Amino acid sequence: MVVAVGQATMRAVVQDRYGEAEVLRPAEIPVPVIGPDEVLVRVRAAGVEQGVWHLMAGRPYLVRLAIGLRAPRTPVRGRELAGVVEAVGEGVTAFRPGDEVFGIGEGTFAELVRAKAAKLALKPAESTFEQAAVMSISGLTALQALRDNAKVREGQSVLVIGASGGVGTFAVQIAKALGGQVTGMCGPGKVDLVRSLGVDALDYRAHDITEGGRRYDVVIDIGGNRTLRHLRRALAPRGVLVIVGGETDGRWLGGFGRTLRAPLVSLFVRQRLGGLIASERADDLVALAGMVSSGTVRPVVDRVFPLAETADAIRYLRAGGARGKLVISVAG
Ligand SMILES: NC(=O)c1ccc[n+]([C@@H]2O[C@H](COP(=O)([O-])OP(=O)(O)OC[C@H]3O[C@@H](n4cnc5c(N)ncnc54)[C@H](OP(=O)(O)O)[C@@H]3O)[C@@H](O)[C@H]2O)c1
């Protein structure tokens, strides 16, 4: 289906080959064409998360099976978005032009993006486009890890490893909202940030997760590369471990090996061990929007970069600089 949007081309940041941020360049490209169940969104802000780097770099190599063996099949990166609906496909009834939305699209580092209606929700009126842009992938991941996988209950002790980043800043707040007694682990320069979210904070340079023999009911592992054996030592005898991520140099599987092994080990121990692959569901976006509207959860935006400086944003993220989330502003 071809939708008239009053312009044939748009500004975007594109890549023609896999690599580090140098492969990104500004370009003028055709406006995407939407299908019957899709929405064309004029992007106001786009979130930057580690997944952007994985797709840009084609690492671990396993991702290339899905997105192109020699070069990425689609040139525009970015999946988190907040913006205004420009046009809707003929099967879409949930949105109409002019609606302010947030969610997940395909190629959000651009003026216009196409997104499945089933991966969008109305933007909370209380948040800016920049705040809404960082909620979808990072927020959904944190919500599903704590509510669905760990099933955190009132009074449980929860350790969030990697608490100062995109997923982690949502995770500590959601764990607290579910009634958990939360400890967030992060680097030395971000302890203040994690404490400002209302939880205890531990610096991973100065402390080990097993320090003092403490055992947590729930461990959410988002950062670093601790072995399953090490993580289990911080877990109560019937505790739950959810592996969300962790950046490693593994070229083929990245840090995914632990996620594959965890359910196997889980068969032989009383602790429940598993990984998470977040599902991109609109009802969870609505749940997140509710948490943000009620003030239970606050998206943490560190810096906003203009579209032309997308490569700098990715370098900053990969250097470990981000306190919470980074945003690409596509306005103007
Ligand atoms: N499973 C899924 O569906 C899913 C979805 C989204 C993301 N992920 C994955 O989740 C991970 C985090 O993503 P993100 O966007 O939140 O990344 P991020 O913003 O870069 O945050 C990374 C976090 O890890 C912490 N960290 C780094 N080294 C650590 C160490 N040795 N010990 C403990 N913590 C350490 C960082 O702390 P400091 O910065 O304070 O040093 C920071 O809090 C990535 O691997 C990503 O691919 C998975």
Side-chain angles (χ1 to χ4, degrees), residues 106-270:
E106 299 308 325
T108 57
F109 299 158
E111 282 182 283
L112 291 150
V113 65
R114 82 189 160 80
K116 296 259 184 231
K119 295 187 180 186
L120 294 175
L122 291 174
K123 177 179 88 61
E126 296 76 7
S127 32
T128 62
F129 283 106
E130 284 77 15
Q131 290 168 328
V134 305
M135 284 163 51
S136 46
I137 293 180
S138 300
L140 276 192
T141 303
L143 179 65
Q144 291 170 12
L146 289 149
R147 185 198 60 190
D148 304 341
N149 289 46
K151 298 185 171 55
V152 170
R153 297 187 309 275
E154 186 72 35
Q156 285 192 312
S157 55
V158 181
L159 174 66
V160 175
I161 304 173
S164 56
V167 180
T169 47
F170 281 103
V172 292
Q173 296 182 77
I174 293 170
K176 193 173 171 214
L178 293 170
Q181 306 289 318
V182 186
T183 304
M185 184 167 251
C186 61
K190 299 180 191 169
V191 167
D192 61 326
L193 166 70
V194 173
R195 287 208 180 111
S196 76
L197 300 174
V199 303
D200 291 339
L202 284 179
D203 160 8
Y204 58 70
R205 292 261 167 78
H207 301 276
D208 186 72
I209 55 170
T210 58
E211 200 170 85
R214 183 160 181 199
R215 301 264 188 142
Y216 297 87
D217 298 313
V218 171
V219 173
I220 307 291
D221 188 18
I222 310 172
N225 189 25
R226 290 167 184 80
T227 61
L228 282 180
R229 185 190 292 260
H230 192 173
L231 291 165
R232 285 188 57 215
R233 286 210 298 269
L235 204 56
R238 292 186 181 276
V240 182
L241 167 69
V242 182
I243 299 174
V244 173
E247 295 300 306
T248 71
D249 289 333
R251 284 169 180 263
W252 287 94
L253 280 177
F256 206 61
R258 293 179 314 157
T259 303
L260 294 175
R261 281 195 305 279
L264 297 176
V265 176
S266 199
L267 295 173
F268 301 100
V269 298
R270 285 186 298 162

Side-chain angles (χ1 to χ4, degrees), residues 273-292:
L273 320 173
L276 170 84
I277 298 189
S279 319
E280 299 175 347
R281 297 194 295 255
D283 54 344
D284 282 350
L285 293 175
V286 173
L288 268 175
M291 290 176 152
V292 169

